């Protein structure tokens, strides 16, 4: 079993200075609710590496410099679903997603160098890579994996439990009626088995998510609630170490010289908190930032593209923007009305107006780039005249009134897009009132299944169709929580059964049939578009590619700098 950390080290770790902060990054402007800034809000890791010593002396020359719009809340992925920039670089997962040159992707080994799946597709046997060490020098063992998954499901404030609920005993651990994951079996230090309650074809893809990162069992336990908050106590196996965190200012990562896959060419990364996007723009132009996510500067994309044409790197988002219609509320219980709404919205017009056409229309549930994408799905036609005819056929020749729920914390782009949609619906006689609510009210109303309509974007947590179709149409609770209230329980049963289809071709064929039924036949929502994700990249950065899944959070391991 894993070598014990000395009592002296454990005591030192427990006594280390703690920091915390709130905020995050994402589609909406992050909010800074509170921050514990004890001792000026600073903490720095010890250690004797050249990178750590350089940072401690204030020398971060040669480090990559990137911005965040708000300070993170925590680097503990068991307690956050949005602050992934640091975790993706501090920790590793059992498997990863690798994008191929043709745009498709595959699951590849990471901490697990190989695995076998039983004939009944219930038991996965994993073999850990030899020679992997945590940042504190401890060896990675199967015990660490078991501890990480137990903690992921049971730690106070756990938010990433969904990725392991297929494992036998997960529900009991979540509910607190068990203290150990029944479906996890230790074989030896480098081998373990995981048994599912039923076959689930997307299981490996789930294990690639940031929420399934692997922690050092003893170091994490010794850190207690300061794990993810105090850099000195936040230990992973990843290509960078967490060196320091100055609240609302910056975080510093330094290269892990002993990284199992070879040390990064970057000596480190400085993550600066720059809330004002115009300031980000000026800092990039002055050479103070190496990378800017242009999603946060939508009005500046054209200008950046014109001024720095060779420094804009984009990639497709594996995600879809969609517009909803609550089938519990008349007239959206009428499929003809829903089809009229689909035809009344000029989706390309919205994409052009808001994002200069940087993206592509989607016609279903599964977006471009997702495993199982159906390029042969019937296209949704923009035809307001036909939409008027459908409304008359449905008994609404003069249109009707409806409410679009808007989250006040959403970006300006979302608000502007809703106004465009509002004007387009008016052309067919539909009077759409945009009702803005504070974020908590909007979320509560949506969860209760009572929002009439809204627009949002869903990006891939893991590259599998189940991540999309089950989230919205997998059962009555899911479709209610999204205020869709799709009523076809037979379709929901098919969605649930599709999760356990082992044959890949059979499974994808069923997903294609379900997608056509839900969107093309039942018009259960209006698929809008997926967008390109543009970044401005300084000339000295080599090897950058946009994140495959559309997150703003980047892995810096393969980057290098040329001065």
């Amino acid at each position: 079993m894993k070598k014990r950390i000395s009592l002296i080290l454990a005591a030192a770790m427990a006594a280390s200075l703690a920091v915390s902060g709130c905020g995050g990054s994402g589609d909406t402007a992050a909010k800074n609710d509170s921050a514990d800034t004890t001792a000026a809000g600073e903490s720095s890791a010890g250690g004797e590496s050249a990178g750590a010593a350089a940072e401690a002396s204030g020398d971060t020359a040669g480090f990559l410099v990137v911005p965040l719009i708000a300070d993170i809340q925590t680097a503990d992925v068991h307690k956050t679903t949005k602050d992934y920039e640091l975790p993706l670089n501090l920790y590793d997962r059992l498997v990863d997603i690798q994008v191929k040159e043709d745009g498709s992707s595959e699951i590849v080994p990471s901490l697990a160098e190989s695995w076998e799946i039983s004939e009944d597709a219930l038991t996965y046997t994993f073999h850990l890579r030899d020679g992997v060490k945590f940042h504190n020098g401890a060896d990675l063992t199967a015990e660490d994996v078991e501890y990480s998954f137990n903690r992921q499901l049971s730690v106070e404030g756990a938010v990433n439990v969904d990725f392991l609920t297929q494992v036998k005993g997960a529900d009991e651990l979540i509910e607190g009626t068990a203290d150990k994951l029944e479906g996890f079996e230790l074989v030896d230090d480098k081998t373990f088995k995981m048994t599912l309650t039923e076959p689930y074809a997307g299981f490996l893809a789930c294990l690639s998510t940031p929420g399934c990162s692997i922690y050092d069992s003893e170091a994490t336990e010794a850190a207690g609630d300061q794990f993810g908050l105090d850099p000195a106590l936040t230990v992973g196996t990843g290509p960078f170490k967490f060196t320091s965190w100055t609240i609302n200012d910056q975080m510093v990562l330094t290269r892990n010289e002993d990284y199992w896959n070879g040390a990064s060419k970057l000596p480190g990364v400085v993550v600066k908190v720059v809330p004002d996007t115009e300031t980000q723009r000026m800092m990039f132009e002055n050479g103070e930032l190496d990378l800017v996510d242009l999603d946060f500067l939508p009005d500046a994309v054209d200008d950046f593209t014109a001024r720095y044409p060779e420094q804009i790197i984009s990639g497709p988002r594996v995600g879809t923007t969609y517009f909803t219609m609550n089938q519990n509320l008349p007239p959206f219980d009428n499929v003809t009305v829903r089809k009229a709404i689909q035809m009344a919205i000029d989706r390309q017009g919205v994409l052009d107006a808001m994002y200069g056409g940087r993206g592509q229309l989607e016609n279903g549930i599964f977006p471009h780039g997702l495993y199982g994408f159906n390029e042969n799905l019937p296209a949704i036609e923009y035809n307001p005249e036909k939409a008027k005819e459908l409304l008359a056929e449905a008994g609404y020749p003069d249109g009707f009134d409806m409410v679009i729920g808007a989250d006040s914390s959403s970006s300006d782009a979302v608000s502007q897009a809703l106004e465009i949609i509002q004007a387009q619906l008016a052309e067919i006689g539909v009077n759409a009132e945009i009702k803005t609510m504070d974020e908590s009210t909007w979320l509560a109303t949506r969860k209760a299944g009572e929002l009439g309509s809204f627009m949002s974007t869903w990006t891939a947590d893991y590259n599998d169709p189940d991540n999309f179709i089950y989230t919205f149409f997998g059962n009555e609770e899911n479709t209610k929580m999204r205020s869709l209230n799709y009523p076809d329980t037979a379709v929901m049963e098919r969605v649930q059964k599709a999760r356990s289809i082992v044959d890949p071709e059979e499974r994808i064929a069923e997903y294609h049939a379900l997608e056509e039924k839900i969107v093309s036949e039942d018009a259960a929502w209006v698929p809008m578009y997926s967008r390109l994700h543009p970044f401005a990249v300084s000339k000295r950065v080599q090897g950058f590619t946009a994140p495959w899944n559309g997150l703003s959070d980047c892995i810096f391991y393969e980057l290098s700098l040329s001065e």
Side-chain angles (χ1 to χ4, degrees), residues 134-151:
F134 287 96
H135 298 155
N136 58 6
D139 292 323
L140 169 71
T141 70
E143 181 187 355
D144 295 308
V145 181
E146 180 181 34
Y147 170 83
S148 298
F149 290 163
N150 283 336
R151 185 179 186 275

Side-chain angles (χ1 to χ4, degrees), residues 9-83:
L9 176 59
M13 292 173 68
S16 294
L17 180 66
V19 300
S20 66
C22 294
S25 61
D27 251 0
T28 63
K31 293 166 290 298
N32 218 7
D33 297 321
S34 63
D36 178 0
T37 54
T38 304
E42 296 185 3
S43 176
S44 62
E48 300 301 326
S49 73
E55 196 285 321
S57 66
D59 181 11
T60 55
F63 282 34
L64 182 80
V65 184
V66 300
L68 284 180
I69 64 169
D71 211 341
I72 67 170
Q73 183 176 14
T74 178
D76 182 354
V77 291
H78 296 167
K79 298 181 180 181
T80 182
T81 58
K82 59 182 180 180
D83 296 328

Side-chain angles (χ1 to χ4, degrees), residues 181-235:
L181 190 57
E182 180 184 353
F184 194 104
E185 177 188 349
L186 286 170
V187 177
D188 56 42
D189 273 3
K190 298 296 181 183
T191 310
F192 61 92
K193 296 181 179 181
M194 297 183 73
T195 300
L196 311 185
T197 54
E198 62 181 4
Y200 177 51
F203 181 60
L204 282 175
C206 282
L207 296 182
S208 72
T209 63
C212 291
S213 296
I214 304 303
Y215 294 167
D216 180 313
S217 59
E218 292 169 352
T220 307
E221 194 66 14
D225 61 7
Q226 293 306 304
F227 182 84
L229 300 179
D230 187 338
L233 306 182
T234 304
V235 175

Side-chain angles (χ1 to χ4, degrees), residues 29 60 176 202 280 305 315 346 404 421 454 459 465 495 497 527 540 561:
T60 55
Q280 286 192 21
T305 302
D346 182 1
I404 302 174
I421 291 172
F454 67 92
T459 55
V495 171
K497 289 179 180 178
R540 71 174 191 152
L561 299 177

Side-chain angles (χ1 to χ4, degrees), residues 230-513:
D230 187 338
L233 306 182
T234 304
V235 175
T237 62
F240 297 95
K241 300 179 180 181
F242 198 1
T243 305
S244 72
W245 181 2
T246 305
I247 295 296
N248 291 327
D249 182 14
Q250 68 178 27
M251 292 145 280
V252 177
L253 310 181
T254 53
R255 177 169 57 205
N256 177 7
E257 302 291 352
D258 299 319
Y259 188 50
W260 59 267
N261 203 26
S264 172
K265 294 179 181 178
L266 291 175
V269 182
V270 178
V271 182
K272 288 187 173 292
V273 180
V274 187
D276 182 65
T277 54
E278 184 59 29
T279 301
Q280 286 192 21
R281 175 178 178 168
M282 290 187 294
M283 290 176 69
F284 179 82
E285 292 174 347
N286 293 336
E288 299 173 68
L289 292 177
D290 291 308
L291 188 67
V292 172
D293 184 347
L294 294 180
D295 261 10
F296 297 112
L297 284 77
D299 295 335
V301 177
D302 290 337
D303 180 55
F304 264 77
T305 302
R307 296 175 63 185
Y308 310 105
E310 297 180 358
Q311 293 175 242
I312 306 301
I313 297 179
S314 300
R317 287 180 173 274
V318 182
T320 186
T321 296
Y322 58 93
F323 184 83
T324 66
M325 298 166 285
N326 191 332
Q327 292 189 45
N328 270 0
L329 303 177
F332 294 132
D333 54 348
N334 187 320
V335 65
T336 305
V337 171
R338 298 196 300 273
K339 288 185 175 181
I341 297 298
Q342 282 187 337
M343 288 184 139
I345 297 177
D346 182 1
R347 301 172 300 148
Q348 187 66 53
V350 177
L351 182 62
D352 290 345
M354 301 311 306
Y355 305 106
R358 290 180 291 273
Q360 48 209 339
L361 297 185
E362 301 292 351
N363 291 302
I365 300 170
F366 311 130
H368 287 76
L370 186 75
Y371 170 65
F373 170 72
N374 183 7
E375 61 183 11
N376 298 315
L377 200 64
I380 296 174
E381 178 188 8
Y382 169 56
N383 191 332
E385 293 305 316
K386 177 64 175 177
K388 290 179 184 178
E389 294 176 8
L390 291 176
L391 285 185
E393 179 185 327
Y396 297 92
D398 300 319
F400 56 87
D401 295 335
M402 62 177 286
V403 176
I404 302 174
D407 176 4
S408 62
S409 68
S410 294
S411 65
D412 291 341
V414 173
S415 299
Q416 293 168 18
L418 289 180
E419 291 174 0
I420 294 173
I421 291 172
Q422 179 186 44
Q424 292 172 348
L425 293 175
E427 292 180 10
I428 66 167
V430 174
N431 177 34
E433 175 193 358
I434 299 175
K435 183 178 181 181
T436 302
M437 316 173 193
D438 63 79
E439 183 181 24
S440 60
T441 302
W442 186 88
L443 287 170
T445 307
R446 191 195 70 179
K447 187 175 182 180
E450 297 173 356
L451 275 184
S453 290
F454 67 92
M455 190 175 78
S456 189
T457 298
W458 182 265
T459 55
D461 292 308
Y462 53 96
N463 198 357
D464 191 271
D466 181 71
N467 186 218
F468 283 75
I469 196 168
Y470 187 81
T471 298
F472 295 94
F473 303 101
N475 54 51
E476 292 180 74
E477 182 62 24
N478 283 7
T479 191
K480 175 186 174 183
M481 287 178 62
R482 303 289 169 181
S483 282
L484 293 166
N485 290 303
Y486 180 69
D488 196 330
T489 55
V491 168
M492 296 178 202
E493 290 175 5
R494 287 174 60 188
V495 171
Q496 293 173 34
K497 289 179 180 178
R499 308 181 95 198
S500 61
I501 297 175
V502 177
D503 181 83
E505 292 186 4
E506 178 186 351
R507 180 168 170 257
I508 295 304
E510 172 66 348
Y511 277 142
H512 286 180

Side-chain angles (χ1 to χ4, degrees), residues 87-123:
L88 284 169
N89 293 282
L90 297 175
Y91 319 121
D92 290 306
R93 294 138 294 279
L94 294 178
V95 298
D96 275 328
I97 299 293
Q98 184 177 81
V99 179
K100 296 183 284 189
E101 290 185 2
D102 63 0
S104 63
S105 64
E106 60 183 344
I107 296 171
V108 296
S110 183
L111 294 181
E113 65 178 357
S114 64
W115 54 86
E116 300 91 41
I117 305 174
S118 62
E119 289 188 9
D120 61 6
L122 289 176
T123 301

